[in-house]
Amino acid sequence: MLCSRVLCEEESRVMPTELEELVGFLSAPSPQVKKAAVDIVQGLTGSEDGLQSLCSFSDVVIPSLSRVLSEKKEVSEPAAEALINLSQKPEQAAKMVSMGMIKTAMDILYKQGSGITRLLVMLLVNLTQSDDGIASLLQTGDEKIQGLYLMKLVRSFCTSSTETTDDPFEHVGSILVNISKKDSGRKMLLDPKRGMLKQIVRQFDSTNPLRKKGVSGTIRNCCFEAETQLENLLLISEFLWPALLLPVAGSKVYNEHDTSKMPLELGSALSIEREPVGDPEIRVQALESLYLISLQEAGRRALWSVNGPRILQVGYEDEEDPKVMEAFEQVGSLLVHGSGTEEFSTESSK
């Protein structure tokens, strides 16, 4: 790692005329020359100075790197890494989106034998940080194919192996969080005819923390549509309630009196010892989702129907993180005042 950093610092001192020549070599007919040029450019993107130098030539660099993404892995891999580094700069990411990089990445991603799947998915994460990038991925400009890219990514996310060290689609969770920040993305995910959210929510069972966090953040964003889309959210309640309530249920084994008032998928999970969700951000996101659902009267009724307030009460007693406790209290205030009963309370001896 130290050697590559030194190399980057040396390369970042390349003079503009030399850099111009280097950029020209990215399109060289000789595979050896092209590979050497791609490797040097990739090294340059590893330092701030190198990135700044390349940005001056990005109108040529980006298309040149894009063209080699479909070549052998020894060339396509450093090219993809260079594009990922460049796309961390918002202006360069915007340039890539306007040049059609999302289409290029998706086409190569689903080309048989692509050896850079993980890198292409990471590039898409960076490109969907902007509104234009999200619109490009959602294909909102063409009604006939609108949502096709998203459906492909969701299918790959939900069918690829999650229990191996190599999980090339794990970063799709971050793409889903990005696109669900926009109204158009949320509506697409919540469309019951497409059934995407149902597939995504089921991935919450994964032991991969990246997947878990991606699913949790996506659910939370989709719950901002609860006022108009509550019915569609509750259509997948069999999977939604465990994803939202189990992370905040604490570590206690629940008694039969409590579990008998819950659906099987919740009651059976809470009647045995289980690994708590250690990431406080996921617990906060789950509670924020429950809060957004509980803002609707029908949402509160649905939560009461699965004995949700009891789960929240027990979970709150177990909780030690101040931010998570605050999120518990926010939901609790709705359930206490909206239910006409004082059975659920977040008051305790803490």
Side-chain angles (χ1 to χ4, degrees), residues 53-176:
S53 303
L54 282 170
C55 285
S56 307
F57 297 92
S58 60
D59 287 346
V60 180
V61 171
I62 292 171
S64 298
L65 291 172
S66 174
R67 278 193 292 272
V68 300
L69 287 175
S70 57
E71 296 190 15
K72 290 180 180 176
K73 189 176 179 180
E74 60 184 22
V75 183
S76 62
E77 188 171 64
E81 288 168 349
L83 286 166
I84 289 167
N85 290 341
L86 281 164
S87 65
Q88 291 177 66
K89 300 271 184 191
E91 67 277 9
Q92 299 309 316
K95 202 169 280 189
M96 289 182 201
V97 170
S98 67
M99 289 178 179
M101 185 65 77
I102 285 179
K103 182 184 187 310
T104 301
M106 287 298 296
D107 288 348
I108 297 167
L109 189 59
Y110 289 98
K111 183 181 170 187
Q112 196 169 7
S114 172
I116 54 168
T117 298
R118 173 186 294 277
L119 294 172
L120 290 171
V121 173
M122 290 170 74
L123 178 60
L124 289 170
V125 173
N126 288 355
L127 298 183
T128 51
Q129 300 281 343
S130 68
D131 290 356
D132 287 345
I134 291 169
S136 179
L137 186 81
L138 297 179
Q139 300 161 289
T140 50
D142 190 337
E143 278 190 25
K144 290 178 184 174
I145 57 170
Q146 189 171 273
L148 183 62
Y149 287 164
L150 181 59
M151 289 178 78
K152 280 185 169 185
L153 287 170
V154 168
R155 186 174 63 234
S156 298
F157 182 63
C158 297
T159 57
S160 58
S161 173
T162 63
E163 306 306 327
T164 61
T165 50
D166 181 37
D167 185 2
F169 286 99
E170 63 184 359
H171 288 282
V172 169
S174 300
I175 297 173
L176 296 173

Side-chain angles (χ1 to χ4, degrees), residues 278-299:
D279 188 338
E281 190 179 340
I282 289 178
R283 300 201 299 278
V284 168
Q285 287 174 338
L287 289 162
E288 286 175 346
S289 300
L290 290 166
Y291 175 78
L292 291 165
I293 288 170
S294 299
L295 283 171
Q296 311 306 315
E297 187 184 345

